[in-house]
């Protein structure tokens, strides 16, 4: 069911090294895109796009000592292009035929690539989702998974290949624990058994279906109830992957994390929760700019009436003239004049130096970054704000941290993460403030 069936597939993918490792042994396949050796150490994300007819999404979790699992997952991802092409252009080939041929070839390539890894054996799990002309096909080996969210229920479409009592398993990782339970994987030899995937029964996609393809870096940290709560929200696929990744990495996960979310929708414009948040934010900003313009115009009009005066010692206010009086001599008749000078940006003498400081009137601050960020210990980032009105210099902003044992901030907004925990960073200018929650892992 492609365009003619009035169903589109929107999808997004993310993969992250995680909190402890220096290398990403996961890989993802997203309709022809995947993690390359050049980008293997950086977070990977493909934002929401719309696709029709043939869609192929997969997650691979590489296994091997000394971070060599990335070789296996990369080989598995690069070879999936052939599956996409055969399903799209060869009418005599079924998805099952294409996938089984791909897996046999990829299994041999991974098994024989020891020369690329310095003699270290590698392997990879696989979770594969194919949506072709409205038909859904799911395959997996290992413990990477595919879920379907339909009618407010989360359905696991894959089967974990893990050891039970009496079964053999493989231990290819350094710790030999997490992936030591896996019984089927890409890179198996004949002594370890027959390499064949689990195949879910094909079914027709329905409008509103959401699919999650993920590595165990996500499912080890989040249970199915947490995943259900996330997918139940009215977000676009990138909103879902962003939230799932943040939740998985907020619990001190030491594994790589990868997730793909695909959603079946009707063609046309779709309002999502993300779009609502952006619209509300833009509306608030527009109102703030309008209020700032009105106040600026009023203040400008007031200032223009005082042009040519050297000071405020002679101001006609309500037909009362105040001439050369000190503060102790002011009566209630001068109160109005005093209140005017308090709202006009004025030059205030600095008692410590001969220079002058300018006192600005600030109507609002807006943080340019997210107001909830996560940093690893020892890392730093610089926060910045937009000031209303925009003629106020950034140096007028004062930065502070409520927990300097966790994170500090300097006068320029540079935040440094010191130890695990949380700290609230506050930016202040006049009476306006804005805060950012910093989580240190």
């Amino acid at each position: 069911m492609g365009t003619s069936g009035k169903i589109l597939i929107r999808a997004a993918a993310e993969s992250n090294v995680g909190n402890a490792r220096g290398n990403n042994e996961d890989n993802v396949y997203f309709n022809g895109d995947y993690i390359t050796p050049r980008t293997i150490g950086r977070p990977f994300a493909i934002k929401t796009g719309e696709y029709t007819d043939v869609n192929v999404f997969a997650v691979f979790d590489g296994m091997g000592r000394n971070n060599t699992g990335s070789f296996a997952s990369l080989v598995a991802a690069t070879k999936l292009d052939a599956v996409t092409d055969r399903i799209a252009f060869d009418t005599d080939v079924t998805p099952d035929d294409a996938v089984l041929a791909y897996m046999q070839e990829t299994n041999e390539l991974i098994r024989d690539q020891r020369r690329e890894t310095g003699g270290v054996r590698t392997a990879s799990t696989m979770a594969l989702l194919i949506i072709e002309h409205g038909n859904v096909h799911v395959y997996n080996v290992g413990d990477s998974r595919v879920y379907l969210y339909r009618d407010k229920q989360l359905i696991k479409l894959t089967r974990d290949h893990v050891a039970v009592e009496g079964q053999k398993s493989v231990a290819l990782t350094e710790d030999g624990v997490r992936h030591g339970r896996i019984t089927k994987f890409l890179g198996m030899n004949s002594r370890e058994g027959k390499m064949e995937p689990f195949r879910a029964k094909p079914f027709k996609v329905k409008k509103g279906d959401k699919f999650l393809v993920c590595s165990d870096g996500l499912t080890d940290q989040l249970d199915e109830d947490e995943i259900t709560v996330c997918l139940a929200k009215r977000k676009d696929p990138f909103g879902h992957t962003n939230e799932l990744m943040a939740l998985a990495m907020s619990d001190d996960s030491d594994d790589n994390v990868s997730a793909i979310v695909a959603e079946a929708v009707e063609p046309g414009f779709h309002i999502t929760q993300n779009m609502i948040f952006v619209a509300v934010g833009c509306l608030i900003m527009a109102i703030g700019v309008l209020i700032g313009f009105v106040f600026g115009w009023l203040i400008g009009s007031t200032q223009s009436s005082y042009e040519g005066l050297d000071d405020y010692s002679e101001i006609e206010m309500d037909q009362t003239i105040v001439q050369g009086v000190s503060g102790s001599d002011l009566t209630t008749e001068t109160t109005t004049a005093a209140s005017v000078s308090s709202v006009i940006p004025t030059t205030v003498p600095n008692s410590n130096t001969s220079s002058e400081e300018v006192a600005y009137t600030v109507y609002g601050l807006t943080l340019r970054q997210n107001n909830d960020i996560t940093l690893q210990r020892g890392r730093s980032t610089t926060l910045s704000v937009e000031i209303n009105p925009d003629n106020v210099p950034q140096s007028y902003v004062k930065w502070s941290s409520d927990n300097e044992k966790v994170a500090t901030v300097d006068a320029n907004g540079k935040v440094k993460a010191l130890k695990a925990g949380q700290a609230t960073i506050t930016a202040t200018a006049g009476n306006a403030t804005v805060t950012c929650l910093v989580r240190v892992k």
Side-chain angles (χ1 to χ4, degrees):
M1 189 188 306
T3 307
S4 59
K6 303 298 182 183
I7 292 291
L8 293 178
I9 302 299
R10 302 191 305 172
E14 290 191 65
S15 183
N16 199 291
V17 176
N19 297 320
R21 298 188 180 185
N23 195 38
N24 193 354
E25 295 189 285
D26 284 2
N27 213 311
V28 301
Y29 184 87
F30 189 92
N31 276 344
D33 289 305
Y34 50 84
I35 300 173
T36 66
R38 183 176 297 178
T39 61
I40 204 165
R42 301 196 298 267
F44 174 86
I46 299 179
K47 293 187 178 181
T48 304
E50 291 188 347
Y51 308 92
T52 60
D53 294 338
V54 177
N55 301 276
V56 179
F57 308 111
V59 166
F60 304 95
D61 188 350
M63 301 175 288
R65 298 182 186 277
N66 302 320
N67 290 324
T68 56
S70 57
F71 287 90
S73 61
L74 176 62
V75 169
T78 58
K79 294 300 178 181
L80 259 182
D81 278 343
V83 175
T84 303
D85 292 342
R86 292 189 70 186
I87 294 174
F89 302 113
D90 193 340
T91 56
D92 295 328
V93 174
T94 67
D96 280 356
D97 294 336
V99 170
L100 291 177
Y102 152 79
M103 294 190 68
Q104 292 298 331
E105 178 186 3
T106 304
N107 188 66
E108 293 178 9
L109 287 172
I110 294 174
R111 191 178 57 204
D112 297 337
Q113 72 167 353
R114 291 193 181 189
R115 63 180 178 276
E116 304 292 339
T117 60
V120 177
R121 185 184 173 196
T122 64
S124 178
T125 67
M126 180 197 76
L128 173 61
L129 168 67
I130 299 174
I131 307 174
E132 52 91 25
H133 302 288
N135 300 301
V136 179
H137 306 270
V138 173
Y139 310 83
N140 86 288
V141 288
D143 57 357
S144 294
R145 297 177 180 177
V146 179
Y147 287 97
L148 166 66
Y149 178 77
R150 173 185 284 185
D151 298 330
K152 300 181 180 180
Q153 292 185 333
L154 188 70
I155 305 166
K156 182 181 170 187
L157 300 179
T158 50
R159 178 182 298 168
D160 292 347
H161 293 119
V162 296
V164 297
E165 188 175 355
Q167 281 186 321
K168 292 182 179 180
S169 63
V170 62
L172 295 172
T173 55
E174 291 178 349
D175 54 28
V177 177
R178 175 172 302 182
H179 296 298
R181 302 175 294 113
I182 294 177
T183 58
K184 288 188 182 295
F185 47 90
L186 294 171
M188 292 180 66
N189 58 47
S190 57
R191 296 188 304 276
E192 292 165 328
K194 186 177 181 181
M195 196 290 301
E196 59 181 5
F198 171 78
R199 288 179 279 179
K201 184 177 179 180
F203 60 92
K204 289 286 186 180
V205 71
K206 288 175 55 178
K207 183 184 71 173
D209 284 350
K210 295 181 182 180
F211 299 89
L212 169 64
V213 188
C214 60
S215 64
D216 69 339
L218 189 142
T219 53
D220 282 349
Q221 298 298 317
L222 303 180
D223 59 34
E224 293 186 352
D225 287 340
E226 292 174 298
I227 295 173
T228 302
V229 169
C230 178
L231 294 180
K233 296 177 180 177
R234 191 176 181 182
K235 292 187 173 184
D236 62 28
F238 190 64
H240 288 309
T241 58
N242 198 253
E243 180 175 351
L244 288 167
M245 296 288 288
L247 290 171
M249 292 190 294
S250 65
D251 292 332
D252 294 327
S253 169
D254 61 354
D255 198 7
N256 310 139
V257 186
S258 300
I260 300 172
V261 172
E263 179 183 15
V265 299
E266 290 183 343
F269 183 75
H270 303 278
I271 297 178
T272 66
Q273 188 175 14
N274 306 54
M275 295 165 64
I276 293 173
F277 287 155
V278 171
V280 171
C282 291
L283 179 61
I284 293 173
M285 185 176 295
I287 293 173
V289 170
L290 179 60
I291 293 174
F293 175 79
V294 173
F295 272 92
W297 180 80
L298 291 174
I299 291 171
S301 299
T302 306
Q303 283 180 311
S304 64
S305 66
Y306 301 139
E307 289 181 358
L309 295 180
D310 293 332
D311 51 39
Y312 294 101
S313 63
E314 292 186 10
I315 300 178
E316 182 174 344
M317 188 66 61
D318 294 337
Q319 298 181 353
T320 300
I321 299 179
V322 182
Q323 291 185 332
V325 293
S326 66
S328 60
D329 294 328
L330 290 175
T331 65
T332 55
E333 291 180 337
T334 66
T335 303
T336 306
S339 64
V340 170
S341 66
S342 67
V343 298
I344 299 174
T346 59
T347 56
V348 181
N350 188 327
S351 60
N352 298 323
T353 66
S354 60
S355 62
E356 293 183 337
E357 294 180 352
V358 179
Y360 295 95
T361 300
V362 178
Y363 301 115
L365 295 176
T366 303
L367 193 66
R368 289 193 174 99
Q369 293 81 12
N370 292 332
N371 60 3
D372 188 336
I373 62 175
T374 300
L375 292 176
Q376 295 185 30
R377 287 186 293 267
R379 299 291 180 88
S380 62
T381 188
T382 300
L383 302 177
S384 60
V385 294
E386 293 180 359
I387 310 175
N388 180 26
D390 58 9
N391 66 329
V392 180
Q394 289 287 330
S395 59
Y396 195 65
V397 179
K398 307 300 181 184
W399 295 90
S400 63
S401 169
D402 72 342
N403 192 346
E404 293 192 340
K405 292 183 178 179
V406 172
T408 59
V409 61
D410 65 14
N412 297 315
K414 184 177 181 179
V415 179
K416 184 173 183 180
L418 302 180
K419 60 179 292 188
Q422 296 183 3
T424 299
I425 304 300
T426 302
T428 304
N431 293 324
T433 63
V434 66
T435 62
C436 177
L437 177 62
V438 176
R439 306 174 190 269
V440 179
K441 298 300 182 183

